[in-house]
Amino acid sequence: MKRIGIDVGGTNTDAVLLDGSRILRAIKSPTTADVTSGVRAALAHVLADPDGTTPDVRAVMIGTTHFTNAVIERRGLSKVAVIRIGLPAASSIEPMADWPQDLHRAVAGPVFLLQGGHEFDGRPIVAFDRDGMRRAAEAIRDSGITAAAITAVFSPLIADCEREAAAILAEVAPDVSVTLSSDLGRIGLIERENATILNSALHGLARRTVAAFRQAITETGLTGPLYLTQNDGTVMRAEEAERFPVLCFASGPTNSMRGAHLLSGLSDAVVLDVGGTTTDAGMLQAGFPRQANTQVDIGGVRTFFRMPDVVAIALGGGTVVREAPFTVGPDSVGFRLLEKARIAGGDTLTLTDVGVRLGLLEVGDAERRNDIPLDLSEAAHIWIARRLAELVDRMKTSGADLPVIAVGGGAFLVPDHLPGVSQVIKVENAGVANAVGAAMSQVSGESDRIFYGVPRDEAIAETLRAARAQAVAAGAAPDTLAVLDVDDTPMSYIPGDPLRVRVRVIGDLAG
């Protein structure tokens, strides 16, 4: 089955055409300011056929940093009405209380605190305030706000209050887009609410972005479905990405890790994805990115949902090197590398220039190579080795030596030997590993539940059924589903010894 994978990064837009696991064509081109034209150009390249025919492409998978950049740069965000259901138990900390002020100003709409919610064992805290919800819906309608976030206490276990609130809002203000926290986050009210608010703030941008991607695909004559890659290294339908854009936040690093697995054949290793601006480090476990088990900071906001355990540092092919005093980064020339770098006739010394001077790659004007100071280049290479060794050490959970897979356009910067590393592997097509990872992505389903008075085996089996159902609903073929991980944790600090179970499954795309 032919697939196209595209990864839109801050520096480059990469695309590959795959037939099964075989790469037919690949392209790495600078990301354009409007993103979409870069996607269109990348598609045109991988679809170019000498006989003028368009390949029979079954699906297009796109990974993009568009949504996380919007939060970091505070642009393209919608105002959000926030509805929290949990009084009298959840009023000590107001919604968005610890958000950065500039992001708060960009997103904050009216806030409504209502009675309702459930205990961890399913008992109602108090009856849901339906009349209060109707008044809130009328106020949202009259305010002109077009996005809302609804969060209830322990809603991942019992979502009745959230669903009823959403039904009332849909009746009173049908044009308002809504995110329910039970569809998105795990246990933990504040972090789950934060993720829900961010998701609703991105709804408008997500619709525009997906529409632009669809237009670019249509203009090339393709008719296959569009998928967007998400944080756990799998894909979801474009329609779901419009509803849950926050699940695409870390798709770039996860695509690279999945691509590293597919190109190297290794299932357990540290992956260093060296781009034009940053190096992202992650850990492969069973061929998938290791998931973060703690809160994740997105643009200064604490969240807790599916995110890879990734650490990024300012080290890339476009990172600026200065001589007096000697410094490397943190600034980068980004997608202007082929314009600003010394080997391209520019006036800025970058780590790509360093790589050319040391013979690590052949690019640009060879006659300019000797104009780059050798001692400065060697000092920069030592700095790179030290920084990457520290980065690998941060990702390891034991003192044992592990293999490192170097991918990305700047993979040439990774030294062949690093302390604490058994071997450094540089794979063929490393520069487009992210696009390969996007094209080969599978579909996942996850369920996170708390059980009270239920035997462990039954709790795991029920959670597994819920995760499988979620994966099938997302487009997975039922007969390909496999369990990726199972976590069961006794909550001994709560009376009655409840059990928390989380199950994640993966499968191939149906059809």
Side-chain angles (χ1 to χ4, degrees), residues 19-56:
D19 186 359
S21 60
R22 186 165 58 97
I23 299 176
L24 301 180
R25 299 187 193 94
I27 180 65
K28 177 182 287 289
S29 58
T31 294
T32 54
D34 66 347
V35 177
T36 308
S37 60
V39 171
R40 188 184 300 114
L43 278 170
H45 178 88
V46 297
L47 289 173
D49 198 293
D51 61 9
T53 61
T54 300
D56 181 21

Side-chain angles (χ1 to χ4, degrees), residues 121-179:
D121 59 1
R123 290 178 294 131
I125 297 174
V126 294
F128 175 51
D129 184 2
R130 296 174 180 82
D131 292 337
M133 181 61 221
R134 187 165 292 276
R135 290 192 295 271
E138 292 169 350
I140 294 170
R141 177 197 61 198
D142 297 340
S143 71
I145 295 289
T146 59
I150 301 176
T151 306
V153 175
F154 280 113
S155 63
L157 310 180
I158 305 292
D160 295 354
C161 290
E162 288 190 359
R163 294 194 186 106
E164 191 167 355
I168 293 172
L169 184 57
E171 176 188 341
V172 176
D175 295 332
V176 175
S177 64
V178 181
T179 304

Side-chain angles (χ1 to χ4, degrees), residues 136-221:
E138 292 169 350
I140 294 170
R141 177 197 61 198
D142 297 340
S143 71
I145 295 289
T146 59
I150 301 176
T151 306
V153 175
F154 280 113
S155 63
L157 310 180
I158 305 292
D160 295 354
C161 290
E162 288 190 359
R163 294 194 186 106
E164 191 167 355
I168 293 172
L169 184 57
E171 176 188 341
V172 176
D175 295 332
V176 175
S177 64
V178 181
T179 304
L180 304 185
S181 77
S182 55
D183 290 333
L184 191 63
R186 298 174 181 170
I187 308 301
L189 178 66
I190 299 300
E191 292 81 6
R192 174 162 44 90
E193 181 179 66
N194 286 345
T196 305
I197 296 169
L198 284 177
N199 192 75
S200 286
L202 287 164
H203 272 165
L205 178 63
R207 287 192 292 268
R208 294 190 297 272
T209 301
V210 170
F213 287 156
R214 283 199 179 105
Q215 181 180 352
I217 292 170
T218 301
E219 289 175 354
T220 59

Side-chain angles (χ1 to χ4, degrees), residues 101-112:
Q101 291 186 0
D102 56 345
L103 185 57
H104 188 281
R105 286 192 299 269
V107 172
V111 174
F112 305 91

Side-chain angles (χ1 to χ4, degrees), residues 46-98:
V46 297
L47 289 173
D49 198 293
D51 61 9
T53 61
T54 300
D56 181 21
V57 175
R58 298 290 299 277
V60 178
M61 284 81 166
I62 298 180
T64 178
T65 59
H66 218 47
F67 305 131
T68 186
N69 288 346
V71 174
I72 293 170
E73 298 171 14
R74 286 36 169 168
R75 59 170 175 78
L77 303 173
S78 302
K79 296 281 188 180
V80 179
V82 180
I83 301 162
R84 181 192 290 177
I85 304 168
L87 292 181
S91 60
S92 58
I93 301 177
E94 293 188 358
M96 305 176 71
D98 61 345

